Amino acid sequence: MAGREPEEGSSIMESSGDEWSRVGEVAKGSKSMKGNKRKKKDGASSSGTDSEGGEDPKSSFLLQFHMELEDRDFINTPRMKTVRFGGNVVNTLAKFERGDTSDYELLKHQLTDPDIKDGQIINWLQEFRNCVTQLSKDHEQLVYVVLRLPWLGRSTAVVEEYLAFLSNLVSAQTVYLRSCLKMVVSNFTPGRALIREGDVDISDSDDDDENLPRNFELCHQALQVIGRYVPSTSRFLMPIMSENFPFVQKSSRTLECYAHNLLRVTVYFPVLRRDVLELVISRMLKLDVSATRSDIEEMEENSAQQPEGGGAQDECLFNMDEDEGPETNASEAAGGTVMAHPVAERLDTLMGVLLSYIKDACYVNGCLELDRTKDLYRDLISVFDKLVLPTHASSHVQYALFYLCSFRLGLAEAFLEHLWKVMQSPAQPAILRQAAAGYIGSFLARAKFLPVATVRACLDLLVPWMHRYIDGQESGSKAFCDVALHGPFYTTCQTVFYTLIFRHRAIIEGSMRQGLAYLQSLNLERIVMCRLNPLKVCLPAVTNMFAAVTRKYQLVFCYTIIERNNRLMLPTVRSSQGGSTAPANTNPLDSFFPFDPYLLKRSGKFIEPLYQVWEEPGDSEVEAPRKPVRQCSAEEDDDFLRGETVQADGVVGMTPGSYESHLHSPRSVGSPPIAFLQRPF
């Protein structure tokens, strides 16, 4: 065993030369003390000689100085003394080429020492830098061991030396580029700490590590260093980030850190932004379709009704999550910010990260950067077309685009124009055209930041298209009610009805005469009365509310058609021999409204100021379509013009949405629910 001092000549060692010179003195003092001890064992009278020659005071001083150094805190500084076995790296590699692997294996063993010191890491990295051109593919295992050195959380000198080694390695041996990138990306999540109790290794979380933000910062610094020397880094980085994305059963903290770091990569690798957004949103969609709106509402209702402390112990009895404990569960749940549904809790965390990223990417010092916002909009609309639009019954992920469009009216109008092009294009699949129409109606109804002029402009596009469609079908052989043949038309009708339910007051608010004239110019009566019979296909809640609104303003009388449709919707027999009957399908379009109320708590703070909630109608009531409709006289019909309320026997006080208790859409197929325990953020 021999003490070895660091080599001179490196920039790091030059900055701390005085400190390392003291290390040499301490080492020499230690050797002299050891020599004195050996003389005493041999029986030599060294004490008298030392006192006469003046050696004993010097040894005492060095011993005291050495003890003081050991008492100092060296967490953030390199170790003053390093101990190692075997020769240097160059000689070890040379022996390996000649077939002698003893020192080679010893070198790998020393590099994997869990108690390796900062000074040792610096010495090893300096030697590897000097022979980096010799680290060919034959030394792949050795390089992997070096890359796994614990450089995060170490002193600044270790970090600088490690980054310098990375830059030299990827410059001289590009074959290790993927290995270096994998090493960095593997640190995008909080580390795991193994605690050994007896003979059992217990995996514990290191989430509360104070160095976590610094570690993430160093990881991004490492990626930038690699990208500076290898221009094609981004092409190799994206598949690695996709492969290392944590499984959805991981804790909210793990998912949050990884998604945050992926989005952070797009700051210095902007070419990857669209791919990163696609990756993050695809994982979020899996969570979104697994946590259905009805399931979230049910669990939140049960959680609100549950008394404090009751049942919480049973839910956390078997804590299967490896990242978090029941202590934080109780404290954060008491604050009312934790979702009762475990999948919704994870989705809430990721939505908060994504919405924060959108805001930070578009605003600089509180001012909207239009060019950056447009670039982000193009990337998000591309991901929307590829992933979000074809996904049925997603409840929250689409609000990322909703939030972005609120920054500027031009973005909202561009989004509506894009949806309109998809909806009216015969080249698009019918299912996508119907989905686009649903997004148009829900966006027009729920976006509080949209002015009435934009709503009217969209109606001026949708309603004439419906009239042209009717003109093309009235004289043909397919002029009958059939969802398979006329699906986009029926969805567009429902979009117009749904928009008018929410926006009819705003349309007539400024001038009732002009507003009524505009509504009458839409010629809704022709649409309702046509042979395609859209009222038979639209959701009953939308149909009933639309009938109430149009009756109030004497635009069209729908109840006669509704009654006739109800009489024709007879139960169907399952087989020709008889048997049980199948209930009528109340949602033949399998439609949903993408911007139904936002249910996630923490990320909902971004959406709440922008969202138009449903207001109970105070001046119109929805009549039950199955009751006989009493014809009103002309005098009674004019009551609404004087602000009086038309009385009705039954009042429906529900939001006209697609998730009423009796109007559930079929759940998405192919996305099995994720069952794991609720964990707090």
Side-chain angles (χ1 to χ4, degrees):
M1 179 174 66
R4 184 182 184 278
E5 300 179 15
E7 297 181 0
E8 297 181 358
S10 66
S11 60
I12 298 175
M13 295 300 101
E14 290 174 357
S15 63
S16 56
D18 296 337
E19 189 174 32
W20 283 102
S21 63
R22 291 196 299 270
V23 176
E25 294 177 2
V26 174
K28 293 177 182 178
S30 301
K31 293 178 181 178
S32 64
M33 286 184 287
K34 291 179 181 178
N36 291 337
K37 291 181 180 179
R38 285 195 296 268
K39 291 179 181 179
K40 290 180 181 179
K41 290 182 180 179
D42 297 335
S45 58
S46 60
S47 59
T49 305
D50 293 341
S51 61
E52 293 176 0
E55 294 293 325
D56 188 49
K58 181 179 180 180
S59 300
S60 300
F61 170 75
L62 291 175
L63 177 61
Q64 181 181 1
F65 180 63
H66 180 63
M67 294 175 63
E68 291 177 357
L69 289 177
E70 289 183 344
D71 293 336
R72 289 172 55 185
D73 181 15
F74 289 156
I75 294 179
N76 296 318
T77 58
R79 294 284 295 183
M80 300 300 184
K81 183 177 180 180
T82 62
V83 179
R84 53 184 282 185
F85 299 90
N88 57 34
V89 175
V90 176
N91 295 335
T92 301
L93 295 180
K95 290 182 179 180
F96 181 81
E97 294 294 336
R98 294 193 298 266
D100 184 1
T101 61
S102 57
D103 286 356
Y104 195 84
E105 296 299 327
L106 180 60
L107 174 60
K108 291 195 294 184
H109 179 74
Q110 293 183 81
L111 291 173
T112 56
D113 182 9
D115 298 324
I116 191 170
K117 309 303 180 184
D118 285 13
Q120 293 173 311
I121 295 178
I122 292 175
N123 290 342
W124 288 122
L125 291 176
Q126 287 178 345
E127 292 192 28
F128 277 106
R129 287 178 61 190
N130 294 332
C131 61
V132 69
T133 55
Q134 302 178 33
L135 298 176
S136 61
K137 191 69 173 177
D138 297 334
H139 305 291
E140 184 176 7
Q141 293 184 357
L142 178 61
V143 173
Y144 289 168
V145 172
V146 177
L147 291 176
R148 287 197 293 267
L149 283 172
W151 64 288
L152 293 175
R154 297 281 181 159
S155 64
T156 304
V158 173
V159 172
E160 291 178 355
E161 191 65 37
Y162 190 88
L163 294 180
F165 168 74
L166 282 182
S167 62
N168 290 358
L169 181 63
V170 297
S171 300
Q173 304 288 347
T174 55
V175 68
Y176 295 115
L177 175 61
R178 286 180 55 86
S179 302
C180 295
L181 296 177
K182 286 182 179 179
M183 178 277 302
V184 177
V185 173
S186 65
N187 292 299
F188 276 0
T189 55
R192 310 296 308 171
L194 291 179
I195 300 177
R196 188 172 184 84
E197 294 185 1
D199 296 332
V200 180
D201 289 337
I202 300 176
S203 178
D204 193 11
S205 176
D206 201 18
D207 288 357
D208 297 331
D209 186 3
E210 296 179 356
N211 294 325
L212 200 58
R214 177 177 179 268
N215 292 346
F216 290 157
E217 180 67 29
L218 293 176
C219 288
H220 293 289
Q221 186 178 349
L223 286 180
Q224 294 178 66
V225 168
I226 296 173
R228 190 178 304 121
Y229 288 94
V230 184
S232 61
T233 296
S234 58
R235 186 163 59 90
F236 294 92
L237 179 59
M238 193 62 225
I240 294 173
M241 293 192 299
S242 179
E243 294 170 2
N244 286 269
F245 203 102
F247 188 54
V248 291
Q249 284 188 339
K250 290 294 184 180
S251 68
S252 298
R253 177 66 166 168
T254 300
L255 295 173
E256 177 192 25
C257 290
Y258 196 82
H260 173 81
N261 285 313
L262 289 191
L263 295 172
R264 175 88 178 274
V265 170
T266 64
V267 176
Y268 48 88
F269 285 142
V271 69
L272 293 179
R273 183 167 64 182
R274 183 171 299 185
D275 294 331
V276 169
L277 287 173
E278 181 179 336
L279 174 60
V280 174
I281 290 177
S282 66
R283 297 302 193 274
M284 294 171 63
L285 279 173
K286 292 182 179 180
L287 293 172
D288 202 0
V289 297
S290 299
T292 62
R293 184 177 297 274
S294 57
D295 291 343
I296 296 175
E297 291 175 339
E298 181 180 357
M299 292 195 69
E300 288 296 325
E301 183 179 354
N302 295 339
S303 177
Q305 294 176 354
Q306 189 176 25
E308 294 185 6
Q313 183 177 0
D314 295 337
E315 291 181 3
C316 297
L317 182 60
F318 299 100
N319 189 352
M320 300 299 291
D321 196 290
E322 59 183 13
D323 290 324
E324 298 164 276
E327 294 82 3
T328 56
N329 204 10
S331 61
E332 295 207 15
T337 59
V338 178
M339 301 296 298
H341 198 291
V343 183
E345 168 63 18
R346 285 153 174 79
L347 181 61
D348 192 8
T349 301
L350 292 179
M351 283 298 300
V353 172
L354 181 59
L355 296 178
S356 299
Y357 170 78
I358 292 174
K359 183 177 181 180
D360 293 340
C362 298
Y363 282 89
V364 178
N365 298 326
C367 298
L368 182 67
E369 292 288 338
L370 190 57
D371 292 337
R372 298 175 60 175
T373 304
K374 288 180 179 179
D375 292 339
L376 180 59
Y377 169 80
R378 295 187 188 98
D379 291 337
L380 273 179
I381 204 68
S382 174
V383 177
F384 173 83
D385 288 340
K386 186 175 182 179
L387 297 178
V388 182
L389 185 62
T391 302
H392 178 70
S394 61
S395 302
H396 300 93
V397 175
Q398 57 266 23
Y399 273 93
L401 205 50
F402 184 94
Y403 180 65
L404 177 62
C405 290
S406 68
F407 293 167
R408 195 177 182 89
L409 179 59
L411 297 175
E413 293 177 345
F415 180 51
L416 289 170
E417 182 180 3
H418 177 77
L419 293 172
W420 158 250
K421 290 179 179 179
V422 175
M423 192 279 298
Q424 58 89 34
S425 173
Q428 295 288 346
I431 189 66
L432 291 184
R433 296 175 64 187
Q434 293 177 224
Y439 271 93
I440 292 175
S442 193
F443 190 75
L444 291 175
R446 297 295 191 174
K448 187 184 293 186
F449 48 86
L450 284 181
V452 179
T454 302
V455 176
R456 292 180 59 167
C458 290
L459 291 176
D460 290 339
L461 289 175
L462 295 172
V463 175
W465 181 87
M466 294 159 59
H467 285 295
R468 291 194 299 270
Y469 190 90
I470 294 173
D471 293 337
Q473 298 294 330
E474 283 289 349
S475 58
S477 59
K478 299 180 180 179
F480 56 89
C481 184
D482 191 330
V483 176
L485 293 175
H486 312 293
F489 169 78
Y490 291 128
T491 307
T492 306
C493 291
Q494 183 168 265
T495 294
V496 173
F497 300 162
Y498 189 75
T499 303
L500 290 175
I501 291 171
F502 274 86
R503 294 290 189 167
H504 71 277
R505 294 180 185 173
I507 292 176
I508 65 174
E509 191 172 19
S511 173
M512 178 171 286
R513 184 178 299 276
Q514 294 180 1
L516 288 177
Y518 172 75
L519 293 177
Q520 291 172 357
S521 67
L522 298 179
N523 196 8
L524 298 174
E525 183 176 5
R526 179 172 185 257
I527 297 174
V528 170
M529 299 292 183
C530 72
R531 297 172 61 184
L532 300 180
N533 195 2
L535 293 182
K536 183 178 181 181
V537 178
C538 296
L539 288 170
V542 176
T543 300
N544 293 336
M545 196 66 70
F546 174 74
V549 171
T550 54
R551 178 184 183 276
K552 173 177 170 32
Y553 296 108
Q554 295 184 341
L555 299 174
V556 58
F557 194 77
C558 303
Y559 289 112
T560 302
I561 301 176
I562 293 175
E563 286 297 321
R564 184 184 63 189
N565 291 336
N566 290 338
R567 288 193 297 268
L568 295 177
M569 292 178 66
L570 300 176
T572 58
V573 180
R574 294 183 185 275
S575 64
S576 58
Q577 286 78 20
S580 60
T581 59
N585 185 7
T586 58
N587 187 13
L589 289 174
D590 196 16
S591 57
F592 77 105
F593 299 105
F595 299 113
D596 269 354
Y598 195 88
L599 302 179
L600 305 180
K601 295 179 180 179
R602 292 189 302 276
S603 57
K605 296 178 182 178
F606 291 90
I607 306 300
E608 184 178 357
L610 314 171
Y611 191 75
Q612 177 64 51
V613 298
W614 169 249
E615 299 177 357
E616 291 293 338
D619 54 356
S620 64
E621 312 294 347
V622 181
E623 298 184 12
R626 295 184 180 179
K627 292 188 176 183
V629 179
R630 182 175 63 88
Q631 298 292 339
C632 300
S633 62
E635 186 177 15
E636 290 174 326
D637 285 340
D638 291 338
D639 287 346
F640 74 92
L641 297 176
R642 298 192 295 269
E644 299 179 4
T645 301
V646 180
Q647 299 298 326
D649 295 331
V651 178
V652 177
M654 69 177 77
T655 301
S658 56
Y659 291 96
E660 278 74 40
S661 59
H662 65 295
L663 299 175
H664 283 295
S665 300
R667 296 182 180 179
S668 57
V669 181
S671 301
I674 302 170
F676 48 87
L677 296 181
Q678 171 191 355
R679 308 306 314 148
F681 170 58

